[in-house]
Amino acid sequence: MIVLEELDFIWDDAELTVLKDLWDREFSITWIGEYFERDPDEVLLALIHLARQNHIDRRKTGLKGE
């Protein structure tokens, strides 16, 4: 079995830059998913990637955002 095979893991640099900005502005993961027309799980995985590379920090509204 391949897990999460229905998700799209490909993000280009421009999308990751916008994702970082939306994260910093404390938009919710659900809203960001709608913005990119992606599953919120795809957004979460991209955020994990950015966090592991120290490109984003924790935020006061937490993971879900406002």
Side-chain angles (χ1 to χ4, degrees), residues 1-3 5 13 16 19 25-27 29 32 35 42-45 48-49 51 53-55 57-58 65:
M1 171 183 270
I2 299 174
V3 298
E5 69 180 303
D13 289 336
L16 289 174
L19 175 57
R25 292 169 51 199
E26 304 203 9
F27 284 93
I29 290 177
I32 295 170
Y35 176 85
E42 295 172 3
V43 173
L44 178 59
L45 293 169
I48 290 169
H49 168 78
Q53 293 191 346
N54 295 316
H55 291 296
D57 296 312
R58 290 182 182 206

Side-chain angles (χ1 to χ4, degrees), residues 1-16:
M1 171 183 270
I2 299 174
V3 298
L4 303 175
E5 69 180 303
E6 70 280 2
L7 298 182
D8 179 4
F9 292 94
I10 299 174
W11 293 75
D12 63 34
D13 289 336
E15 289 175 315
L16 289 174

Side-chain angles (χ1 to χ4, degrees), residues 19-30:
L19 175 57
K20 180 187 180 320
D21 179 59
L22 295 174
W23 174 260
D24 290 343
R25 292 169 51 199
E26 304 203 9
F27 284 93
S28 73
I29 290 177
T30 302

